[in-house]
Amino acid sequence: MYKCKHFKIYELVDPVTYEKYGEGAWKFFDIDILVLADALRERYGPCTVNDWFWGGKFKYSGYRPSSCRIGAKMSLHRFFRALDMKFKNISAAKVRKGIRDDMGYWEVMGLKRVENKVNWLHIDTANVNPVRFFNP
């Protein structure tokens, strides 16, 4: 089982999922999304997915349960295959540019889709080829 080097499970799931499954929630995640999260963190520095554990406002930037009203009904967040990452020292636009500039690397890492025109980095592992940049 792959567990992120740079993220704890409570940073990737909502409070209810964490309370119910704890460390067991790792098994639900697509391995590619976890490997991508670590690779992006290593390349671009500190970032946040969810911060509810420390009293922050983000609790649905990783997994979104069916009870969550945020996002599309069939969003890949609901299938443990998408993350919204907020980087501390670099803008999402610059990270997207970096991904475009080194597309071959990110394709091999399993990246499939990146959302444009948002202030965070949405990544997912949709069943598409080649890597797609899409607008909300």
Side-chain angles (χ1 to χ4, degrees):
M1 174 186 309
Y2 185 88
K3 294 182 181 182
C4 286
K5 297 177 221 168
H6 300 290
F7 299 93
K8 302 294 185 191
I9 193 64
Y10 49 77
E11 295 177 85
L12 304 178
V13 299
D14 63 288
V16 173
T17 301
Y18 180 67
E19 185 172 320
K20 185 171 182 178
Y21 297 102
E23 289 290 312
W26 285 114
K27 70 182 171 230
F28 302 126
F29 278 91
D30 175 73
I31 191 170
D32 287 341
I33 201 70
L34 299 177
V35 169
L36 281 164
D38 275 340
L40 286 159
R41 167 63 179 81
E42 287 169 9
R43 180 153 307 177
Y44 296 106
C47 64
T48 301
V49 177
N50 290 328
D51 60 3
W52 62 265
F53 191 80
W54 302 285
K57 63 181 178 177
F58 298 109
K59 62 181 178 179
Y60 297 121
S61 293
Y63 170 65
R64 292 179 186 156
S66 58
S67 60
C68 175
R69 301 281 185 240
I70 297 169
K73 185 177 180 181
M74 295 299 286
S75 165
L76 289 179
H77 285 276
R78 299 188 191 283
F79 300 96
F80 298 91
R81 296 181 66 190
L83 298 173
D84 293 338
M85 303 174 78
K86 287 78 66 182
F87 289 85
K88 181 178 180 180
N89 300 319
I90 187 171
S91 71
K94 287 183 180 177
V95 175
R96 283 190 287 272
K97 182 184 181 319
I99 290 170
R100 282 187 177 94
D101 290 347
D102 199 3
M103 186 65 75
Y105 173 79
W106 296 108
E107 282 185 293
V108 168
M109 295 299 290
L111 181 63
K112 297 298 185 170
R113 294 189 327 148
V114 179
E115 187 174 6
N116 286 315
K117 300 181 181 180
V118 291
N119 293 328
W120 57 88
L121 180 72
H122 168 94
I123 58 166
D124 68 47
T125 58
N127 188 15
V128 299
N129 281 312
V131 174
R132 296 182 185 167
F133 285 77
F134 69 97
N135 294 327

